Amino acid sequence: MTSQTVRRLAITPGEPAGIGPDLCIQIAQQSHPHELVAVCDPDLLRLRAEQLQLPLSIELFDPAAAPGPSLARTLKVLPVPLAATARAGQLDTRNAAYVLQTLEIATRGCQQGLFDALVTAPVHKGVINDAGVPFSGHTELLEQLTGSDKVVMMLATEGLRVALATTHLSLRDVADAITAPLLEQVLQVLQHDLIHSFGIADPHILVAGLNPHAGEGGHLGREEIDIIEPALERLRAQGMHLSGPLPADTLFNEKYLSQADAVLAMYHDQGLPVLKYKGFGNAVNITLGMPIIRTSVDHGTALDLAGSGTAGCGSLKAAIDCAALMASHRHLTPEDS
């Protein structure tokens, strides 16, 4: 297969009261070389398109048909009914189960080979929890649905990929979470997916230290000496191309980044502020370590913008393009998909 093969991508619009439906409608205004299938309530899209005053023709998805490019002002939909009519900007706990159902259906479709990848618009964690369903996020749910051993969060924008050793932890808990087994597992997942989902034959990964100045030789913390460097040495012995641990305050400059394929940050706010400064609104959130491909936007539900037509769809477009590219690389090595 070549990168020109048409890929079939499932898109979940996320929270129906947020900007996810708006972004799907905006994306559908232009043609796309891959087939985009929204997994949602078609009436939600019809009503929101009317509110946005944008033309939209909805076609019910036929799984038996061969995938084809998406036409302008047209969107294929795999129907999933809302529990209650959604109003832009107004959360409704009655629709929490619907949001989860769209994710489960889309994920199952990817697992069965019906879709080549999953692209997710933002969900609202609060309203799902308010509905009585414990929910910590897309990533954790997809990890559970796919039975994955270890998933890794990576954000990417033009010229920069940043993966995270830890994600949503308080700073007080980060140091205890940084262990050699964790780092080795995360780096192995990152290495595997850079090769098999991005087509990078021999990835060069920069690894940030945990402490200021990467510990200053032990004077500002010993995690680099006792944990990070020994883990990197073991992985280097296996053939991995790793640089670090490097001070995070100097790591993100052209001297290092021009020679690297990805950065591993030790915690959320060590790496993501840099990436979002560089590419917010056009960055992609990617879940590594799963048997399916999943990309997402780099922003939230933006309830205040829903239905206004002012939400930018750059990140969703980037997520769609990234998912299609990853699917093309993954299909070149089907035994790893």
Side-chain angles (χ1 to χ4, degrees), residues 13-324:
E15 168 53 49
I19 61 171
D22 304 43
L23 301 182
C24 292
I25 294 163
Q26 291 172 240
I27 284 288
Q29 297 305 301
Q30 306 296 324
S31 60
H32 196 278
H34 300 286
E35 183 175 87
L36 310 181
V37 181
V39 182
C40 66
D41 191 321
D43 288 335
L44 167 65
L45 296 178
R46 290 191 186 97
L47 291 174
R48 192 65 59 84
E50 291 176 6
Q51 185 172 356
L52 296 173
Q53 297 183 348
L54 290 174
L56 183 69
S57 175
I58 292 176
E59 297 180 0
L60 294 184
F61 169 60
D62 179 4
S70 294
L71 303 177
R73 298 175 294 282
T74 301
L75 189 59
K76 289 186 170 64
V77 177
L78 194 166
V80 181
L82 281 162
T85 300
R87 302 186 186 282
Q90 300 179 30
L91 295 172
D92 191 330
T93 56
R94 291 175 294 175
N95 286 325
Y98 154 85
V99 173
L100 299 178
Q101 187 181 11
T102 63
L103 288 167
E104 291 166 2
I105 290 172
T107 300
R108 186 164 62 246
C110 290
Q111 291 173 309
Q112 295 170 346
L114 180 61
F115 302 116
D116 292 299
L118 168 62
V119 180
T120 63
V123 297
H124 194 286
K125 298 176 188 176
V127 74
I128 296 174
N129 282 282
D130 288 344
V133 181
F135 180 78
S136 54
H138 269 120
T139 303
E140 293 80 5
L141 176 64
L142 293 172
E143 182 177 30
Q144 176 187 348
L145 291 175
T146 59
S148 302
D149 293 330
K150 176 61 181 178
V151 298
V152 174
M153 180 187 293
M154 182 174 79
L155 269 75
T157 191
E158 184 67 31
L160 182 61
R161 301 184 185 97
V162 177
L164 301 178
T166 63
T167 52
H168 300 118
L169 287 179
S170 71
L171 283 179
R172 189 178 298 278
D173 296 328
V174 167
D176 289 339
I178 299 296
T179 64
L182 171 76
L183 292 178
E184 292 178 32
Q185 190 177 29
V186 168
L187 282 163
Q188 286 165 346
V189 169
L190 177 56
Q191 165 95 348
H192 179 277
D193 277 25
L194 288 173
I195 294 171
H196 296 286
S197 296
F198 290 89
I200 302 169
D202 181 25
H204 179 199
I205 301 170
L206 307 181
V207 180
L210 172 65
N211 297 295
H213 302 176
E216 194 78 72
H219 295 287
L220 295 176
R222 291 192 55 85
E223 284 83 3
E224 288 76 12
I225 296 171
D226 296 338
I227 298 171
I228 302 175
E229 180 59 36
L232 300 188
E233 281 300 317
R234 284 190 289 273
L235 293 174
R236 289 186 188 110
Q238 299 173 21
M240 291 179 63
H241 187 186
L242 306 171
S243 294
L246 297 167
D249 65 342
T250 56
L251 165 60
F252 292 98
N253 67 64
E254 193 63 20
K255 171 185 173 182
Y256 293 111
L257 296 178
S258 64
Q259 305 298 320
D261 299 295
V263 174
L264 178 66
M266 290 296 108
Y267 55 94
H268 188 281
D269 281 14
Q270 183 184 60
L272 296 194
V274 180
L275 184 135
K276 291 193 176 185
Y277 176 77
K278 179 177 174 62
F280 187 70
N282 292 289
V284 184
N285 187 341
I286 305 162
T287 305
L288 308 178
M290 294 196 301
I292 69 169
I293 293 166
R294 180 259 176 160
T295 66
S296 188
V297 295
D298 66 353
H299 55 75
T301 54
L303 295 170
D304 57 322
L305 300 181
S308 70
T310 60
C313 59
S315 184
L316 181 59
K317 183 180 186 305
I320 290 169
D321 292 342
C322 181

